[in-house]
Amino acid sequence: MEKHAVQLRGSTADDSRLRAFFKVLSRQKMLMLMSLPFLAWVIVFKYVPLWGWTIAFQKYKLARDLFDQTWVGLDNFAFLFREEQFYLVLRNTLVMSSVNLVLGFVTAILLALLLNELRRVYFKRTVQTISYLPHFISWVVAANIVQTALAPEGIFNVLLLQLNIIDKPVLWLGVGEYFWGILGATEVWKNVGWNTIIYLAAITTIDPTQYEAAEIDGASRLQRMWHITLPGIKPVIVILLIMNLGHILESGFEPQYLLGNGMNVEYSENLDIFVLKYGIQMNNFGLATAAGMFKTVVSFIFLIVANNLAKRLGESRLY
Amino acid sequence: MRKKKWLNTSLAVITAVSLLLAGCSSNNNDGGSKTNTNANDSTDGNAVDNTDPVTFSYFGFGTNIDVMASETTIGKILQEQTGVDWKMEYVVGDPSTKAGVMIAGGEYPDVISPVGELSKLLNAGAYIPLNDLIEKHGPNIKRVYGEYMDKITHEDGNIYILPFTANVGGYLNDPDAGSNIWIQRRVLKEFGYPEVKTLDQYFDLIVKYQEKYPSVDGKETVGFVTFAGEQGQFYTITNAPMHLAGYPNDGNVLVDMETHEAKLYMATEHEKRWLKKLNEMNAKGLVDPETFTANGDQFKAKLTSGRVLGFVGYIWQMADAMNNLKTAGNDDLRYVSLPIVFDESITDAYMDPPSFVNNRGLGISVSAKDPVRIIKYWDNLLKEENQRLVQWGEEGVTYSVNEEGRFIMSAEQLANRNDNEFKRKYGWAYFDYEWPRYGDNSVYEDGNAHLPARQPEVANVNYTDGDRELLNAYGIETFSGFFAQPVERPWYPAWSIEKEQGSPEQIFNQKAGDLQQKFYPKLVFATEAQFESVWNDYLAEFGKLDAAGFEKFMTDKVKARIAGVW
């Protein structure tokens, strides 16, 4: 970018500036071509559906034209923001996704660092495979495994009883306060291996000579991790953090839906389940869309704030 | 030049996108215009019946396994009569989402059994009116549904679906009716088959039994469970106060026999009494701690383990578990449901009064290729001989007729009739319910019952020695002997009153249900000292809902039904 900017500044007439632009364009023809399908994808799947936002201002009925719909102004938003339940599910959503965000980052980075230090390739591969596996299990199955393990006669209670940590079985999924912790742990179990991939990839780009130099200078293993590996993957961490903050209102749907029950509903019900119950299942698509719009706006704010923060701190960022 | 190319590309993308959009919307238009034309498709009603082979599509919002009708014995026989085969498909996953997708796509299967999605599909104009088709091609349809015409006619004067509950030729009660409160038979046996009528008596028996046998075969006995762990099954526990107060299943209201006022029983003394009792039982350690968290499989596993002494649940929620226990052969571990009410003075209403459920049925969609063929197939299906086929099967194969002309089944034939695998292969699993049909209480012209299970001769074959011992001990002939005879309730069942999508009534239902899900566990597991304060919290939350509006809506609908407007 810098180089092109210099070129452009060099030319005086509009015409020559344009010519320079097309010169660069033709040089990067292949790159342009390669990005074309993705551009089309973004337009078709991300921009075209924005039309659907009009639904938020209608009492929407399926299979009818735009002109046959009843327009209701901000009624759907009013319903949403007046609903007590909405604030409860908003709290749950924010807490659960923050828990997932923090736990997800810390555990994945930690595991990636540890894996990177392993010398024996077979052992490393085995650990990687085992930690990836749960990622590929469907949530329906995973939730059943968790339910069974946490049942009064499940392995978890049996173990804790044997170790004398508890004196009678605990109904883990029956205590609302435990739910966030259980969900966080389940997410870590399921996704930690998968999340390490990107960090491991980032680590491989670090110049090995840095490690050699550090070793000669007498840096210990921990010091090398702290002073070389972590700074080396910092840009990746920051970018991922910014992007994930953009998803702060997406705490997931399946695990909460499948692990939730009457006893933990005050803690397990999130925005997506609320939208399913009051929006989609009642054919109230206007409300569902309004909630979706709200989510998008909040995500947008988070994304911009995080990016500006990164900019101010002189870190790598999205734009 | 290059710039133009760039422009062209983006133009192409935009054109492609708009084509896509246009494609979607033109589909919708198709769906709309067909509504108007299809009913007039039937040009010549008197033509000779066409039996060219043809395959139509059937979609059910109930649970079943997909099949080609001709792969089943019954489907094959019907195909030979009419030339029509069916590709039968059933919903997988969330029905309301599926219905939404179907409507948004504007493409429907030929016929749809909507189960709970009727109002959605009607709203979208997915069904064609059947009035003219029935008039021209449906002599048998008219015979069966004739006296229910006003009940099957929608507010706009059209008939969209043919329900499953049109009783023909008399009214036969189920010989093996049940309630939703069950007790293990060994408990009754232990105490010499006592009379159990009230909720207190019922729980006293369980308390006494568990004191005597805290564990059986090394396994701890479980006093009491409910099937309330799954979100969709929560009504199991919320419906109980209605039955205990002596009312049949009208959903979430009690309808007064005199004034016909529909009153919610949520947050009333009835509900409090039920929850207070569960709370007491919990203090005694009798309520299974997993009662609000166990999923369906876990619940059924508990029942089949034989450790549970009592539970609440409707037979259709756990029939397979009951069947497994029967097959296992130990009658002591099986369960029996009893006519439990709050007080001796209350008459139970567990046996269903004659009822007509008009929001379940089968209808023809606007996408149907040949509605006339379909209506003729249905008409043929409603001939008495074919109704016999879909319930009893073929004479000499799946049932026999004795000298008095009564239909009977041998033990083996009956076992087949009840066996899930055999039912699929033979086709009962596909044809004995979600089609235009005689109602369950129907009687044939020759006096035989329409449902084999309602034929006393067959019910008798079904009983095990343990069943007979139990029935003898109580001096009754069949399990229905436990229950009071049903009383006529012309609006019954109130739960089938359709609530419009997104209407205040529907939102009330959802919110009230959410509230119950939140508070029931708290109330049951609270200490006895806390109970009152939790109950008051519950009342306060309930007070925020528009209960009066909902009750008015239901009362109006009930009164309209009594006046004959369904």
Side-chain angles (χ1 to χ4, degrees):
Chain A
M1 277 311 278
E2 289 297 312
K3 205 170 124 204
H4 306 151
V6 172
Q7 271 182 356
L8 289 176
R9 226 176 289 143
S11 51
T12 43
D14 259 9
D15 195 41
S16 65
R17 195 183 280 185
L18 215 65
R19 204 172 303 145
F21 173 73
F22 282 113
K23 210 166 146 194
V24 177
L25 197 69
S26 76
R27 209 185 303 142
Q28 298 178 343
K29 202 163 48 191
M30 273 316 179
L31 292 176
M32 292 287 166
L33 272 177
M34 283 198 298
S35 57
L36 210 60
F38 299 100
L39 190 71
W41 178 82
V42 168
I43 290 174
V44 171
F45 289 104
K46 299 285 162 183
Y47 279 92
V48 173
L50 284 184
W51 266 115
W53 275 12
T54 52
I55 293 173
F57 307 98
Q58 303 166 349
K59 190 173 167 35
Y60 182 73
K61 290 215 166 147
L62 277 168
R64 289 207 192 156
D65 277 345
L66 188 69
F67 304 103
D68 295 341
Q69 303 289 357
T70 334
W71 295 85
V72 294
L74 293 173
D75 277 10
N76 288 319
F77 291 94
F79 178 90
L80 203 61
F81 295 126
R82 275 200 209 116
E83 177 60 49
E84 240 174 88
Q85 186 80 359
F86 175 72
Y87 296 98
L88 184 75
V89 300
L90 198 61
R91 176 201 72 173
N92 293 344
T93 310
L94 282 171
V95 173
M96 282 190 275
S97 57
S98 308
V99 168
N100 286 345
L101 194 70
V102 173
L103 278 182
F105 264 83
V106 173
T107 54
I109 293 169
L110 219 60
L111 186 65
L113 286 177
L114 293 176
L115 282 173
N116 186 50
E117 294 299 317
L118 285 176
R119 292 277 158 78
R120 284 184 187 272
V121 177
Y122 276 114
F123 185 67
K124 185 175 169 181
R125 294 260 162 88
T126 315
V127 171
Q128 276 187 296
T129 310
I130 291 172
S131 63
Y132 290 175
L133 270 181
H135 178 77
F136 298 101
I137 303 177
S138 128
W139 263 116
V140 178
V141 178
N144 245 313
I145 294 174
V146 173
Q147 268 172 348
T148 312
L150 293 178
E153 290 107 28
I155 177 94
F156 210 65
N157 274 313
V158 171
L159 218 64
L160 291 177
L161 280 174
Q162 293 284 339
L163 296 172
N164 284 327
I165 295 173
I166 50 175
D167 51 4
K168 63 177 194 221
V170 176
L171 194 63
W172 296 100
L173 285 170
V175 187
E177 286 86 348
Y178 296 162
F179 188 82
W180 294 338
I182 292 170
L183 183 85
T186 310
E187 290 270 6
V188 166
W189 163 70
K190 201 163 178 304
N191 290 326
V192 66
W194 182 256
N195 292 342
T196 56
I197 294 179
I198 193 156
Y199 298 113
L200 284 172
I203 289 171
T204 57
T205 63
I206 298 171
D207 188 351
T209 54
Q210 289 190 32
Y211 289 102
E212 282 158 24
E215 219 171 330
I216 293 165
D217 288 346
S220 72
R221 260 189 156 190
L222 277 177
Q223 282 171 324
R224 270 177 277 154
M225 277 159 91
W226 186 254
H227 292 290
I228 300 174
T229 318
L230 269 181
I233 59 173
K234 198 166 81 176
V236 177
I237 296 177
V238 174
I239 292 279
L240 281 181
L241 200 62
I242 294 172
M243 281 171 40
N244 277 321
L245 277 173
H247 292 291
I248 195 83
L249 283 186
E250 320 245 342
S251 58
F253 167 73
E254 290 109 319
Q256 287 87 349
Y257 188 73
L258 294 164
L259 293 174
N261 57 51
M263 295 177 75
N264 59 28
V265 68
E266 272 177 275
Y267 295 86
S268 66
E269 190 165 300
N270 64 6
L271 206 53
D272 297 270
I273 297 177
F274 177 82
V275 167
L276 178 79
K277 283 211 292 205
Y278 285 89
I280 295 166
Q281 280 181 351
M282 288 193 187
N283 242 9
N284 197 347
F285 294 100
L287 183 70
T289 314
M293 271 178 83
F294 169 75
K295 253 165 77 170
T296 308
V297 170
V298 173
S299 304
F300 215 68
I301 294 169
F302 266 93
L303 189 82
I304 290 171
V305 169
N307 198 59
N308 281 346
L309 222 61
K311 202 193 268 179
R312 209 163 294 170
L313 295 175
E315 298 290 351
S316 54
R317 54 192 187 263
L318 277 179
Y319 55 88
Chain B
M1 279 304 288
R2 278 174 200 276
K3 197 181 180 188
K4 266 197 183 150
K5 223 175 217 171
W6 188 224
L7 250 177
N8 280 345
T9 324
S10 32
L11 269 178
V13 171
I14 291 165
T15 324
V17 168
S18 47
L19 272 178
L20 253 174
L21 283 174
C24 290
S25 50
S26 71
N27 257 349
N28 290 347
N29 291 343
D30 269 7
S33 58
K34 265 182 195 160
T35 328
N36 310 323
T37 52
N38 258 337
N40 309 325
D41 272 1
S42 46
T43 39
D44 48 352
N46 305 324
V48 184
D49 279 354
N50 173 3
T51 54
D52 296 341
V54 62
T55 303
F56 294 129
S57 52
Y58 171 108
F59 191 88
F61 278 93
T63 30
N64 213 331
I65 297 171
D66 294 355
V67 78
M68 286 301 296
S70 56
E71 285 165 12
T72 67
T73 311
I74 294 174
K76 188 90 201 148
I77 294 171
L78 292 169
Q79 189 190 23
E80 277 158 20
Q81 295 172 4
T82 59
V84 178
D85 193 6
W86 295 90
K87 185 173 190 296
M88 300 180 73
E89 288 183 317
Y90 296 88
V91 69
V92 180
D94 182 29
S96 57
T97 314
K98 173 74 190 171
V101 170
M102 225 181 230
I103 293 165
E107 276 289 318
Y108 301 97
D110 292 313
V111 304
I112 310 170
S113 165
V115 191
E117 310 302 324
L118 178 66
S119 71
K120 225 174 263 181
L121 290 166
L122 278 182
N123 250 335
Y127 287 109
I128 61 166
L130 305 175
N131 309 38
D132 294 348
L133 290 167
I134 294 172
E135 198 56 44
K136 279 190 199 138
H137 310 283
N140 285 299
I141 297 175
K142 278 201 271 186
R143 174 175 59 83
V144 175
Y145 289 94
E147 56 174 305
Y148 301 96
M149 276 303 173
D150 50 343
K151 291 182 180 173
I152 66 176
T153 307
H154 196 248
E155 282 165 14
D156 62 9
N158 289 324
I159 296 169
Y160 293 107
I161 56 167
L162 292 179
F164 311 133
T165 48
N167 289 309
V168 174
Y171 191 88
L172 212 58
N173 272 323
D174 186 355
D176 290 325
S179 76
N180 64 335
I181 300 195
W182 301 72
I183 195 164
Q184 203 168 32
R185 294 185 185 182
R186 59 178 171 174
V187 180
L188 296 176
K189 195 177 184 181
E190 177 71 25
F191 300 109
Y193 296 108
E195 200 71 37
V196 194
K197 184 103 185 7
T198 68
L199 192 61
D200 292 336
Q201 290 166 351
Y202 170 79
F203 276 121
D204 284 348
L205 273 190
I206 290 178
V207 172
K208 273 200 297 187
Y209 190 88
Q210 201 176 33
E211 271 168 9
K212 212 163 165 185
Y213 304 98
S215 66
V216 174
D217 302 334
K219 290 181 291 186
E220 265 178 58
T221 50
V222 178
F224 187 75
V225 218
T226 68
F227 189 11
E230 278 185 17
Q231 303 220 352
Q233 308 292 340
F234 205 76
Y235 66 89
T236 318
I237 190 170
T238 58
N239 272 4
M242 167 173 64
H243 293 301
L244 290 168
Y247 290 85
N249 189 354
D250 261 332
N252 54 359
V253 291
L254 307 178
V255 181
D256 190 283
M257 291 297 288
E258 307 292 321
T259 63
H260 301 139
E261 294 282 331
K263 285 266 173 246
L264 288 160
Y265 52 92
M266 180 181 181
T268 63
E269 280 306 303
H270 291 314
E271 191 181 46
K272 188 176 178 185
R273 202 164 162 186
W274 162 239
L275 290 168
K276 180 85 193 146
K277 194 74 202 174
L278 289 182
N279 179 278
E280 278 168 28
M281 289 302 116
N282 180 57
K284 292 185 179 143
L286 279 168
V287 177
D288 182 26
E290 278 195 288
T291 208
F292 293 104
T293 51
N295 63 26
D297 289 339
Q298 289 168 327
F299 174 72
K300 285 174 201 164
K302 274 181 210 281
L303 296 188
T304 40
S305 75
R307 295 161 56 201
V308 176
L309 300 180
F311 69 92
V312 40
Y314 290 100
I315 181 71
W316 64 80
Q317 295 173 309
M318 34 66 191
D320 41 351
M322 298 290 106
N323 264 340
N324 286 343
L325 279 170
K326 187 175 175 183
T327 322
N330 186 349
D331 274 309
D332 285 347
L333 294 185
R334 289 174 62 201
Y335 296 86
V336 60
S337 64
L338 296 171
I340 309 290
V341 284
F342 280 130
D343 293 309
E344 295 272 2
S345 60
I346 297 171
T347 313
D348 74 86
Y350 283 107
M351 271 225 266
D352 274 339
S355 61
F356 189 78
V357 180
N358 65 342
N359 67 347
R360 299 284 187 277
L362 190 67
I364 302 179
S365 82
V366 289
S367 307
K369 292 171 276 291
D370 193 349
V372 177
R373 264 313 264 290
I374 294 171
I375 219 76
K376 282 183 178 164
Y377 182 92
W378 289 358
D379 194 66
N380 177 58
L381 183 64
L382 285 170
K383 287 179 183 159
E384 189 141 307
E385 74 221 45
N386 283 332
Q387 282 300 299
R388 206 178 322 157
L389 174 71
V390 299
Q391 287 295 346
W392 290 85
E394 300 148 289
E395 189 183 335
V397 183
T398 52
Y399 74 102
S400 354
V401 183
N402 68 11
E403 293 99 55
E404 291 100 56
R406 302 288 294 167
F407 298 171
I408 48 171
M409 280 183 173
S410 69
E412 192 199 343
Q413 283 167 335
L414 185 62
N416 280 339
R417 184 68 183 86
N418 292 329
D419 179 70
N420 289 337
E421 267 312 300
F422 191 89
K423 274 160 75 178
R424 285 224 166 77
K425 215 174 80 211
Y426 196 78
W428 283 312
Y430 297 101
F431 283 95
D432 78 353
Y433 191 60
E434 280 182 73
W435 287 92
R437 68 195 281 269
Y438 284 15
D440 283 350
N441 310 78
S442 302
V443 184
Y444 295 140
E445 276 165 21
D446 55 17
N448 283 297
H450 175 53
L451 284 201
R454 306 233 161 160
Q455 183 93 327
E457 289 89 338
V458 174
N460 203 27
V461 177
N462 213 356
Y463 291 151
T464 63
D465 291 341
D467 286 331
R468 293 215 177 80
E469 188 189 329
L470 184 91
L471 292 172
N472 283 338
Y474 284 99
I476 48 179
E477 293 281 312
T478 61
F479 284 98
S480 291
F482 276 120
F483 303 98
Q485 283 300 312
V487 183
E488 183 101 18
R489 293 168 202 261
W491 63 87
Y492 187 79
W495 62 258
S496 76
I497 291 171
E498 276 291 325
K499 288 143 205 106
E500 180 122 8
Q501 294 293 325
S503 61
E505 295 79 40
Q506 207 193 24
I507 291 172
F508 172 86
N509 259 352
Q510 179 73 49
K511 284 192 178 170
D514 282 356
L515 202 59
Q516 284 174 318
Q517 275 203 17
K518 200 160 122 186
F519 274 94
Y520 267 52
K522 285 187 188 171
L523 286 160
V524 173
F525 294 139
T527 62
E528 288 190 82
Q530 285 168 349
F531 184 85
E532 280 301 323
S533 74
V534 181
W535 177 259
N536 288 333
D537 290 348
Y538 176 57
L539 287 190
E541 290 283 326
F542 176 76
K544 293 179 191 165
L545 304 178
D546 181 21
F550 183 82
E551 284 175 344
K552 183 174 178 326
F553 168 83
M554 291 300 278
T555 304
D556 289 349
K557 288 281 180 184
V558 164
K559 288 191 169 158
R561 279 190 173 188
I562 294 168
V565 185
W566 277 58

